[in-house]
Amino acid sequence: MTDIPLNGIANGTVARPRRDIGLKRRYAAERRFRIYGVLAISVGIVFLAVMLVTIIGKGYTAFWQTTATLPITFDANVIDPENKRATDPNVLITANYPKLAENALMAKLGINPDDKVAARKLKGFLSDGARAQLRTMVTDDPSIIGTTRNVEILVAANIDSAFKGQIDLSVDESRRKVSDQQVTWMKQLAAEGSLAEHFNKGLFTFGASSRPETSGMGVAIIGSFYMMVIVLLLALPIGVAASIYLEEFAKKSRLTDLIEVNINNLAAVPSIVFGLLGLSVFINFLGLPRSAALVGGLVLTLMTLPTIIIATRAALAAVPPSIRSAALGLGASKMQMVFQHILPLAAPGILTGTIIGLARALGETAPLLLIGMVAFVADRPATPLEPSTALPVQIYMWANEAERAFVERMSGAIIILLIFLMAMNITAIVLRRRFERRW
Amino acid sequence: MSLMLVFAAVLAIGAVAFFVGRQRALVQDDGKVKPHSRAHYHGWWAFLLATMPALLLLIVWGVGSNVYLQEHIKSQLPMQTADSPIASEKLAASLTTSLANGLRRLDPQTAANPPASFAELQPQLAARGVALAPDTQDYMIPIAVDANRMQDRLSLIGAILILAVSIGGATLGVSHVQVRARARNNVEKLVLWGLLGASTIAILTTIGIILSLLFQTINFFERVPLTNFFFGTVWDPRFAAAGSGGSEGQFGLIPLLAGTLYIALVAMLVAVPVGLMSAVYMAEYASPRVRAVVKPALELLAGIPTIVYGIFALVTLGPFLRDLSAALAGGTGFIQAQSVFTAGLVMGVMLIPVVSSLSDDIITAVPRAMRDGSLGLGATRSETIKRVILPAALPGIVGAILLTASRAIGETMIVVLAAGVAANLTANPFEAMTTITVKIVNQLTGDLEFNSPQTLVAFALGITLFALTLVMNIFALYIVRKYREQYE
């Protein structure tokens, strides 16, 4: 028994040196390759993270809005100085409501009502939305005139930004949008507790407005909702019917081949082309109204159909032939087999595809721009035939505004849109995991 | 009787037919003879007979009576002369139509005998919230009243006809009910036709796209010569406000095409290596745990709408790159806030998940045996990937890249926000260029006159874009399909 039996040198024979096959080099290449892969994935993830963080960072403040709670005296002398409201209903519409709010603010701040200079500076403090707000209060209940109520009034966008600390107050006064005097008043009111941030309901209810503080995505949410309902009602049944025909009934022929190529191609046609289609067919040829959610819904339906068809066909094809044979063997007709056995088993897959298609339709902007949904719509649409906008289009419109406060709202709207989309996508992923069946 | 009401009535008749038919079938089944179809098929057959022909007639009647009414109005309008305030017969007819619609809002008495002058009528209509164009003429009022009367007559006749057809169908359907009647076969045959009809929608959409684009494009080329569009190097459409009749402009495709391809190229330079490497890593290296986290994350990246990417480029990345380049160069930056580079970079990131999911499918489709063979011969994993898997998957990957490139060419929102609107012809990636899609959006948003070359050019651009992507898609789909068959 030797101690070193395998050592060639000890045995006196010269071991041939192992042929250099570059193992070191090859392993290094292997490691490099792996690192490239990790890097590539990180690029995507890091970008996603940076994008989300910057958008959320810019937008989360949009969910709060500064309001001033003021004891407003509905002074009959201001609203109706000539006392004609009993005979002329227009008096209550055209009255000088901002004056009421201004008076209340002056009283609160202890400014002499005759101080014209201070009064002028005060003009930009409260939002112009106060006019409509107070007008609605009075026209809803004229008996309010002569009483004093505490009313929450939106402050102007600049004051809102300043109050949230987004305006650099160390800059010279002439180069920022808020004057020192306004800042002093702002602090005074805040100290008294009448100026405070509240949850921004207006972001979800207001329509378009030229003032950031009174603009919201109420119209856009309703418009998007209408469109999603239309897409769901049209694209799902048509898509499923088409897939059933192609997957279960169609014999291989020229026609079905053509349909197949068509569907695959339609899925890859740029979305803006569907906008052109909608403009010339639905609006110019069929005479449907511009900017209407109905037209948007139809365009998005055509766009979503291929996605749903492709997903549904995959889901139908995944149902094993044994189920088909069993159904047929028990005497079901082919139609009964499809509708009573295959379709229920394929439902989760169809649902997943539909949700993903809907999510894509919800985020789609380009075709909607062409059918006139870039519109200034202040009133909420009551039907899908009335002008409306859509969530992503609203974001686009805010992106074209210069004011800082609009950027904040835009980012807030993106957050809402992303929450909707994430919810839909995650539902789809979960559904797929949950019901994915290996036969 | 309005069409909606008729529609509801037809459905109600159908529902009655369904229940009567089913009941009749149930009653007839005395257990002696085996019925051919189950009872509800008899019900459905009666329902279909009651509703389908009637609804078809409803659509035909609705469209037909509208067309007839328009012709009727047109025939009654006096000839438009050159000095009349309304430019065309079409406009006069549409004014009369909206006047007729407005009259419907008034109470029946006034609507039947409206004041003879539009000046008197307008405040009454305005009080009901009907806003009419001020150049509506007095002579249109009697025509509108007449049109409304005729419309009432037409819809009454139509309603009676449709309901008669519906009731007739229902009776026929119910009378068909017999123990050995083949109701199921009838119903299934109709359903099959319905399914076939649904599947032709895809073809109809394509035909619709091609026809609508072609029609307007021909319209455009009647005003602007073909060569000026395809070989023009200057894009300067000028502005045609509504009513101005349109002024001369230059519509050169070249700068737009160059911008489109340049931005797409930058995007592909980002997306292809990164997307392909991620797909390779995910398919060959990643442990199931990593896969379970990263794959959904990439899917979320794919689920983010392009407008969000565009806004990120516009608000964050563009200004950041400009300031960064300014800091590097000391002074003014060499990267503009809106540039080919910014747009391409962001679009590239948007395309990463597209490339990676397409190539992931293709890489995993390479047969296990080829991988095992290579590993068994002593190749490292990366060598297997580089020398065996990627070459085997190459046709599929080329197809995937082509599909991605077609996405990049057709992408709109990112370039609208991040690439700029100036139609430059430059090789410097840090300057702004514009694309076909941006110009389509630009030309078609805002208050433009529809029949001017400024608007119609959007359709010529659209058909160029469609043709470009169509060729790429079909070629790519052909390659991918062929490749898939190879390993099946």
Side-chain angles (χ1 to χ4, degrees):
Chain A
M1 192 174 158
T2 52
D3 285 323
I4 32 176
L6 292 177
N7 193 327
I9 298 165
N11 285 349
T13 56
V14 179
R16 261 184 303 160
R18 236 182 130 162
R19 192 156 58 88
D20 178 24
I21 50 172
L23 259 190
K24 217 178 228 167
R25 191 171 43 77
R26 287 170 61 202
Y27 282 153
E30 170 76 22
R31 270 193 301 277
R32 271 203 306 280
F33 195 76
R34 261 188 102 125
I35 290 170
Y36 294 150
V38 174
L39 277 180
I41 288 179
S42 327
V43 166
I45 307 274
V46 165
F47 195 94
L48 179 68
V50 169
M51 196 158 82
L52 291 182
V53 165
T54 50
I55 285 169
I56 292 171
K58 276 203 169 76
Y60 76 98
T61 48
F63 295 98
W64 283 269
Q65 183 77 28
T66 315
T67 54
T69 313
L70 298 171
I72 292 200
T73 310
F74 290 91
D75 190 349
N77 287 331
V78 176
I79 299 175
D80 186 12
E82 292 162 41
N83 202 13
K84 288 200 302 193
R85 62 178 179 273
T87 50
D88 185 0
N90 276 337
V91 169
L92 290 187
I93 311 259
T94 54
N96 188 3
Y97 290 106
K99 182 85 182 145
L100 292 178
E102 254 167 59
N103 286 347
L105 188 59
M106 281 186 170
K108 189 100 190 169
L109 290 167
I111 302 171
N112 182 2
D114 296 327
D115 186 350
K116 293 269 188 269
V117 181
R120 203 172 307 129
K121 279 189 176 165
L122 212 53
K123 271 231 168 353
F125 196 85
L126 292 176
S127 164
D128 250 359
R131 182 194 302 273
Q133 188 188 355
L134 295 176
R135 183 171 57 208
T136 320
M137 286 180 75
V138 171
T139 48
D140 283 356
D141 178 17
S143 67
I144 207 173
I145 295 172
T147 60
T148 302
R149 303 273 171 102
N150 269 332
V151 183
E152 272 186 20
I153 290 181
L154 295 172
V155 301
N158 289 328
I159 306 292
D160 178 49
S161 301
F163 190 68
K164 286 174 181 167
Q166 294 160 341
I167 292 183
D168 185 4
L169 295 177
S170 62
V171 182
D172 186 63
E173 188 181 1
S174 60
R175 288 177 54 206
R176 58 180 139 91
K177 289 185 170 168
V178 196
S179 65
D180 286 340
Q181 180 68 66
Q182 285 176 329
V183 174
T184 323
W185 284 331
M186 190 179 84
K187 286 183 177 149
Q188 187 185 339
L189 284 174
E192 289 169 21
S194 58
L195 200 65
E197 287 183 38
H198 292 283
F199 180 70
N200 190 357
K201 277 180 297 199
L203 185 63
F204 299 94
T205 53
F206 290 133
S209 167
S210 54
R211 294 178 296 271
E213 71 274 8
T214 54
S215 62
M217 10 183 236
V219 174
I221 290 176
I222 294 177
S224 278
F225 174 73
Y226 283 145
M227 289 196 280
M228 287 306 105
V229 171
I230 292 170
V231 172
L232 191 64
L233 287 183
L234 289 177
L236 183 60
I238 295 178
V240 171
S243 324
I244 288 179
Y245 181 77
L246 292 176
E247 198 62 37
E248 304 287 338
F249 291 98
K251 294 177 192 72
K252 202 137 178 72
S253 71
R254 273 275 173 77
L255 180 71
T256 51
D257 246 20
L258 190 67
I259 294 177
E260 280 230 46
V261 172
N262 240 305
I263 289 169
N264 285 330
N265 181 52
L266 276 183
V269 165
S271 61
I272 193 161
V273 172
F274 285 96
L276 289 171
L277 171 78
L279 177 64
S280 60
V281 172
F282 295 132
I283 294 180
N284 284 336
F285 186 67
L286 293 179
L288 294 174
R290 268 174 82 87
S291 311
L294 175 69
V295 180
L298 290 175
V299 169
L300 293 181
T301 299
L302 294 182
M303 235 190 66
T304 319
L305 258 180
T307 316
I308 293 186
I309 292 181
I310 291 171
T312 307
R313 290 191 63 182
L316 290 174
V319 177
S322 60
I323 305 264
R324 283 159 228 265
S325 315
L328 293 177
L330 287 173
S333 72
K334 202 161 180 198
M335 202 60 87
Q336 286 170 329
M337 167 197 95
V338 170
F339 280 95
Q340 295 169 6
H341 300 270
I342 310 290
L343 209 51
L345 289 174
I350 297 172
L351 212 57
T352 314
T354 308
I355 293 174
I356 289 174
L358 275 183
R360 265 187 52 191
L362 180 60
E364 193 54 70
T365 322
L368 301 183
L369 298 182
L370 301 191
I371 55 167
M373 297 201 85
V374 209
F376 189 88
V377 186
D379 299 317
R380 271 169 263 166
T383 66
L385 282 166
E386 284 170 33
S388 70
T389 56
L391 267 177
V393 179
Q394 184 68 61
I395 292 171
Y396 172 71
M397 285 193 283
W398 277 337
N400 288 332
E401 301 273 355
E403 274 182 73
R404 204 208 160 282
F406 275 119
V407 175
E408 183 185 47
R409 298 220 153 210
M410 175 195 81
S411 308
I414 293 179
I415 295 175
I416 304 279
L417 179 65
L418 286 182
I419 289 175
F420 278 131
L421 291 178
M422 295 291 146
M424 290 166 94
N425 277 312
I426 289 171
T427 316
I429 292 173
V430 169
L431 263 179
R432 193 170 53 205
R433 292 245 170 108
R434 192 82 181 273
F435 293 100
E436 200 172 45
R437 248 166 123 160
R438 297 258 171 246
W439 299 91
Chain B
M1 214 195 235
S2 80
L3 290 181
M4 271 324 268
L5 213 60
V6 177
F7 179 70
V10 168
L11 283 189
I13 294 173
V16 171
F18 173 79
F19 286 112
V20 173
R22 194 180 63 168
Q23 198 53 39
R24 222 174 113 103
L26 284 175
V27 169
Q28 284 186 5
D29 179 15
D30 49 9
K32 287 179 193 145
V33 186
K34 186 169 178 281
H36 174 274
S37 305
R38 307 213 11 222
H40 64 263
Y41 280 109
H42 291 283
W44 280 118
W45 180 234
F47 173 86
L48 288 171
L49 278 184
T51 52
M52 284 299 136
L55 291 183
L56 212 65
L57 183 63
L58 180 79
I59 293 168
V60 171
W61 192 271
V63 174
S65 67
N66 239 341
V67 171
Y68 177 75
L69 213 60
Q70 284 296 319
E71 286 305 312
H72 182 71
I73 289 177
K74 250 183 227 170
S75 71
Q76 288 203 324
L77 286 170
M79 278 303 272
Q80 296 300 320
T81 45
D83 57 330
S84 67
I86 300 162
S88 71
E89 194 166 278
K90 209 172 148 194
L91 185 60
S94 85
L95 282 176
T96 314
T97 313
S98 45
L99 179 64
N101 288 335
L103 284 174
R104 292 228 173 254
R105 300 272 191 99
L106 299 174
D107 56 291
Q109 219 94 59
T110 340
N113 298 300
S117 86
F118 183 61
E120 272 179 73
L121 186 59
Q122 197 173 20
Q124 293 190 26
L125 288 171
R128 301 273 165 158
V130 184
L132 287 177
D135 43 358
T136 308
Q137 304 295 313
D138 288 350
Y139 65 76
M140 291 176 184
I141 296 174
I143 301 177
V145 172
D146 184 49
N148 273 349
R149 218 175 293 139
M150 174 164 270
Q151 193 181 16
D152 286 341
R153 232 177 359 239
L154 278 176
S155 54
L156 186 68
I157 298 172
I160 293 172
L161 271 178
I162 292 164
L163 291 182
V165 168
S166 178
I167 292 172
T171 332
L172 189 69
V174 171
S175 74
H176 275 180
V177 178
Q178 263 153 25
V179 180
R180 294 300 300 164
R182 302 161 75 87
R184 198 197 71 222
N185 299 30
N186 293 335
V187 172
E188 288 185 348
K189 211 173 285 165
L190 264 182
V191 171
L192 189 61
W193 278 103
L195 297 181
L196 174 64
S199 68
T200 53
I201 295 232
I203 291 191
L204 288 181
T205 310
T206 309
I207 293 175
I209 288 176
I210 293 174
L211 280 187
S212 62
L213 291 182
L214 210 58
F215 191 67
Q216 312 282 14
T217 307
I218 290 171
N219 220 334
F220 171 72
F221 283 129
E222 277 168 6
R223 292 150 209 241
V224 176
L226 214 73
T227 46
N228 285 13
F229 177 69
F230 282 112
F231 302 110
T233 53
V234 179
W235 174 267
D236 180 21
R238 306 286 167 83
F239 182 66
S244 76
S247 51
E248 280 296 301
Q250 280 175 289
F251 305 92
L253 175 68
I254 302 285
L256 309 187
L257 194 63
T260 307
L261 296 179
Y262 202 175
I263 292 174
L265 177 75
V266 174
M268 297 305 285
L269 286 179
V270 175
V272 170
V274 176
L276 203 55
M277 272 315 290
S278 331
V280 164
Y281 188 84
M282 296 287 286
E284 301 292 328
Y285 288 105
S287 64
R289 280 238 312 275
V290 174
R291 236 179 121 87
V293 176
V294 174
K295 217 169 155 111
L298 282 179
E299 274 171 24
L300 287 188
L301 199 63
I304 293 177
T306 54
I307 177 134
V308 178
Y309 286 96
I311 291 208
F312 178 73
L314 177 75
V315 178
T316 311
L317 192 67
F320 172 75
L321 287 176
R322 184 194 55 206
D323 297 345
L324 185 75
S325 69
L328 287 177
T332 50
F334 52 89
I335 304 182
Q336 292 178 7
Q338 289 187 321
S339 69
V340 171
F341 180 67
T342 317
L345 189 64
V346 173
M347 196 194 281
V349 174
M350 181 208 90
L351 294 174
I352 290 174
V354 178
V355 177
S356 82
S357 80
L358 282 173
S359 8
D360 193 21
D361 292 346
I362 289 157
I363 289 169
T364 39
V366 173
R368 182 91 234 156
M370 292 176 78
R371 207 159 309 180
D372 292 346
S374 166
L375 291 173
L377 286 174
T380 64
R381 275 179 175 234
S382 63
E383 284 160 354
T384 308
I385 292 164
K386 278 186 279 196
R387 303 218 183 133
V388 177
I389 295 177
L390 286 185
L394 193 63
I397 289 174
V398 170
I401 289 175
L402 270 177
L403 273 183
T404 317
S406 121
R407 276 281 296 271
I409 287 173
E411 172 50 45
T412 309
M413 291 323 291
I414 292 178
V415 282
V416 163
L417 289 166
V421 290
N424 293 329
L425 203 51
T426 169
N428 181 355
F430 302 126
E431 277 183 33
M433 273 176 106
T434 197
T435 69
I436 295 178
T437 49
V438 172
K439 285 303 162 195
I440 295 178
V441 170
N442 278 353
Q443 297 307 110
L444 286 180
T445 44
D447 190 19
L448 289 156
E449 190 181 24
F450 193 78
N451 253 343
S452 65
Q454 278 78 0
T455 313
L456 291 173
V457 70
F459 291 91
L461 291 175
I463 209 165
T464 315
L465 185 68
F466 182 71
L468 210 60
T469 50
L470 184 77
V471 171
M472 292 172 85
N473 292 342
I474 288 185
F475 190 50
L477 289 170
Y478 169 76
I479 295 179
V480 171
R481 213 183 193 188
K482 190 142 194 203
Y483 164 77
R484 200 180 298 146
E485 278 160 10
Q486 198 182 329
Y487 289 118
E488 254 170 19

